[in-house]
Amino acid sequence: MKILFASSEAHPMIKTGGLADVAGSLPRAIRKLRHDIRIVIPAYQSVLKQTGKYTLVAHLDLEGVKQPVRILAGRLPDSTVTVYLVDSPEHFDRAGNPYTMKQGSAWPDNAERFTAFCRAIEALALNAADLNWQPDIVHCNDWQTALVPPLLQRHHHHPVTLFTIHNLAYQGLFDWKVFKNLELPADFWSTEALEFHNQFSFIKGGLVFADWITTVSPTYAEEIQTRTYGYGLEGLIRHRSNNLTGIVNGVDYGVWNPGRDPFIAAQYNIRSLTDKLKNKRALQQHFELPVADTTPVFAVISRLVEQKGIDLILEIVPKLVMHRAQLIVLGSGDSKLETAIQSAVKTYPQHVAAHIGYDEPLSHHIEAGADIFLMPSRFEPCGLNQIYSQRYGTVPIVRHTGGLADTVTDTTPASIAAKTATGFSFTPVTAMALLGAVERALRYYQQPQVWEQLVSTGMRQDFSWRHSAQLYIDLYKKILAQRVVGAGTSR
Ligand code: ADP
């Protein structure tokens, strides 16, 4: 099969969160299964600055886009996967984050920027860029690519489309005035199409028009059909539930493997767990915390946003201190949360340490050195750090939601006996419930035999892409077969 994988970020070229990890590793896994998959991302300034050869392969004049756009082609590092870059300097040649300005607010022209991106993907999908390559399937990801299904369905002989929701909280909502200037087909502005409560909704493009929808865990696929998690889109999603599948994300154990990780103080595996202790000492030193082998080290690596339940963690800091634990936080985001974390560091310098910022090598170091990972998310489509944590023998404490529910087995007498326990989970969104899970974990931490079992069961879990990539391939085949059966019935 020929697949065009469209995403606004892909590791290692550009990353702000889990979407990049998926876009950098799923195509690699699908390529290994011998399908011709190619990635398309915007040519952000930081991407063009990296070493790596890109050649100019096409010039495109796109409807509604003032300046001509160039398509560059290169390779995903260490792979045979082709990457197309959409080079539109007025939209992407600027310093900083792909979506936000320095102060954290969205770029004012985001609607224009990602409409141009979608128009370029449309052209690639229709082989209008003269690349002599037409995909059978366009796999779109999140709102930044969600105009592609409605744009494509206006053409005869268009590829089938799959839309993956990585986070329903981000929808690409803009007002009428913005829509008017995008020069999109007028009939997009309709409640049957992309209008949503008097706003223009990018994500509805994927939800209404894609041939199939996936999201990144089976539990999240159920949750987004309910009011609590659906943001008012639950009715539409329920309506499409016969064409909705939850596929849990895989992870790239080439990047996340404590046995080979170049960023950690001492490499280790399940047979050399004492070497994990060397990482713990190095981590405590790095953060200038007291170096103590028996002190439980809790860690957080996260975007600092309400979703992630950082406020619940802040509430229990005094209790963590009372239990003589240490807490290490790596993250950036909401300035209020950043300030609150910094003030906890000031109040408890012997117990709490933080690095406010984005630092990939440090995130590996923390995974390797910590004992327990905290992820009390209010909602979590899939989540990756609880999976990385398991491979690093760092026991996760998670809220029982979305992908966290699908990837962590709570520790109970029964799961200990069955040797399936990999972490701790709780359900109510309260600091009390989080504390309950933390105190349960601390009791087991005092029982080295049980703790070692938790650590090694976690390290043995296999969340590699092999399995999930095959599920995507099966789904691609199913969508294509459906199209043959229903030929000519494109909406
Ligand atoms: P989300 O996509 O909602 O941010 P995920 O758990 O799916 O959450 O993925 C987050 C990814 O981003 C992980 O790979 C995590 O290690 C990384 N990450 C988040 N914040 C930071 C940070 N401050 N420094 C380094 N890596 C980070």
Side-chain angles (χ1 to χ4, degrees):
M1 282 179 289
K2 295 200 284 282
I3 306 129
L4 182 62
F5 191 94
S7 172
S8 57
E9 47 184 286
H11 181 78
M13 284 92 69
I14 176 82
K15 168 169 166 175
T16 72
L19 170 61
D21 287 345
V22 174
S25 53
L26 172 59
R28 221 180 270 274
I30 290 176
R31 182 76 195 92
K32 281 207 184 111
L33 295 168
R34 298 177 181 285
H35 294 281
D36 181 1
I37 185 162
R38 306 186 184 188
I39 301 175
V40 55
I41 60 170
Y44 301 110
Q45 190 181 76
S46 61
V47 173
L48 291 177
K49 273 192 183 153
Q50 288 157 23
T51 49
K53 269 200 202 132
Y54 292 102
T55 39
L56 175 64
V57 292
H59 284 276
L60 290 172
D61 282 312
L62 300 170
E63 230 179 301
V65 181
K66 286 178 214 95
Q67 308 283 339
V69 165
R70 303 185 323 154
I71 303 294
L72 313 175
R75 283 277 152 91
L76 186 68
D78 304 319
S79 81
T80 55
V81 177
T82 296
V83 177
Y84 293 120
L85 301 182
V86 174
D87 184 20
S88 177
E90 59 171 325
H91 297 119
F92 301 118
D93 186 9
R94 54 181 82 168
N97 185 287
Y99 318 117
T100 57
M101 300 187 287
K102 266 223 176 78
Q103 314 78 351
S105 50
W107 292 109
D109 57 348
N110 270 349
E112 251 175 64
R113 298 169 72 224
F114 291 105
T115 298
F117 183 46
C118 288
R119 288 281 197 184
I121 299 165
E122 176 193 15
L124 287 173
L126 297 170
N127 197 18
D130 285 334
L131 299 179
N132 197 19
W133 186 80
Q134 176 154 29
D136 306 303
I137 298 148
V138 184
H139 185 161
C140 301
N141 296 276
D142 276 355
W143 74 263
Q144 296 87 353
T145 58
L147 297 186
V148 174
L151 286 170
L152 281 179
Q153 57 91 39
R154 304 170 309 142
H155 302 272
H156 283 297
H157 308 300
H158 60 82
V160 297
T161 52
L162 171 65
F163 181 68
T164 298
I165 306 165
H166 295 262
N167 194 335
L168 193 64
Y170 302 99
Q171 299 169 13
L173 287 175
F174 300 92
D175 64 25
W176 154 253
K177 271 198 217 134
V178 173
F179 171 73
K180 226 176 40 181
N181 289 329
L182 297 175
E183 295 181 41
L184 287 165
D187 60 3
F188 278 20
W189 187 271
S190 137
T191 49
E192 308 278 285
L194 280 69
E195 184 189 342
F196 182 64
H197 298 293
N198 246 332
Q199 288 204 289
F200 179 62
S201 162
F202 271 61
I203 204 167
K204 271 191 79 184
L207 300 180
V208 175
F209 293 97
D211 292 291
W212 205 279
I213 302 167
T214 67
T215 187
V216 288
S217 69
T219 297
Y220 194 60
E222 294 300 321
E223 287 174 341
I224 55 177
Q225 298 181 50
T226 67
R227 240 177 91 174
T228 315
Y229 296 91
Y231 300 94
L233 290 163
E234 61 273 13
L236 168 59
I237 296 172
R238 268 201 307 273
H239 176 70
R240 299 236 40 209
S241 60
N242 288 335
N243 299 70
L244 168 67
T245 312
I247 300 177
V248 80
N249 282 337
V251 301
D252 186 346
Y253 288 124
V255 176
W256 293 97
N257 173 2
R260 293 220 194 116
D261 193 325
F263 300 123
I264 67 180
Q267 296 170 345
Y268 61 99
N269 59 38
I270 206 161
R271 287 174 303 281
S272 58
L273 273 173
T274 43
D275 287 337
K276 181 168 167 63
L277 207 54
K278 294 182 186 159
N279 291 293
K280 178 168 172 174
R281 291 176 193 144
L283 187 67
Q284 288 169 323
Q285 268 163 4
H286 177 91
F287 279 99
E288 297 177 0
L289 289 169
V291 176
D293 291 354
T294 53
T295 299
V297 175
F298 289 77
V300 179
I301 302 168
S302 183
R303 290 185 296 120
L304 301 177
V305 293
E306 201 210 357
Q307 174 196 341
K308 303 290 182 180
I310 307 296
D311 52 324
L312 306 181
I313 297 172
L314 284 163
E315 258 188 76
I316 67 160
V317 164
K319 296 281 191 210
L320 289 175
V321 172
M322 202 187 78
H323 286 293
R324 300 200 174 83
Q326 293 175 349
L327 171 66
I328 291 173
V329 182
L330 166 62
S332 63
D334 283 1
S335 52
K336 265 198 201 139
L337 289 170
E338 291 182 354
T339 311
I341 289 164
Q342 275 158 337
S343 99
V345 172
K346 265 202 192 129
T347 314
Y348 305 107
Q350 299 290 303
H351 294 274
V352 185
H355 178 92
I356 302 296
Y358 187 91
D359 188 330
E360 239 171 272
L362 185 57
S363 72
H364 287 246
H365 190 24
I366 293 174
E367 283 290 6
D371 295 301
I372 298 166
F373 196 88
L374 293 176
M375 219 162 155
S377 306
R378 289 187 160 76
F379 66 94
E380 194 58 76
C382 179
L384 292 171
N385 272 309
Q386 82 282 10
I387 302 178
Y388 301 150
S389 296
Q390 289 176 51
R391 183 48 63 103
Y392 281 68
T394 303
V395 177
I397 296 181
V398 301
R399 197 171 94 73
H400 191 79
T401 185
L404 300 174
D406 292 335
T407 56
V408 175
T409 305
D410 190 32
T411 302
T412 61
S415 64
I416 293 174
K419 296 201 157 80
T420 52
T422 55
F424 296 86
S425 64
F426 65 96
T427 301
V429 188
T430 63
M432 277 291 281
L434 168 61
L435 182 63
V438 163
E439 290 182 338
R440 250 180 338 119
L442 286 174
R443 278 198 294 279
Y444 285 111
Y445 184 75
Q446 305 305 335
Q447 304 173 37
Q449 247 182 339
V450 182
W451 195 258
E452 222 164 88
Q453 185 193 312
L454 285 183
V455 166
S456 50
T457 308
M459 289 180 83
R460 268 197 295 271
Q461 299 301 305
D462 182 2
F463 293 101
S464 58
W465 269 111
R466 218 168 352 137
H467 179 63
S468 295
Q470 189 57 51
L471 294 178
Y472 277 104
I473 289 169
D474 294 346
L475 190 55
Y476 295 156
K477 286 185 181 155
K478 183 170 164 172
I479 310 169
L480 280 168
Q482 245 184 11
R483 143 104 130 220
V484 172
V485 172
T489 60
S490 69
R491 270 181 308 271

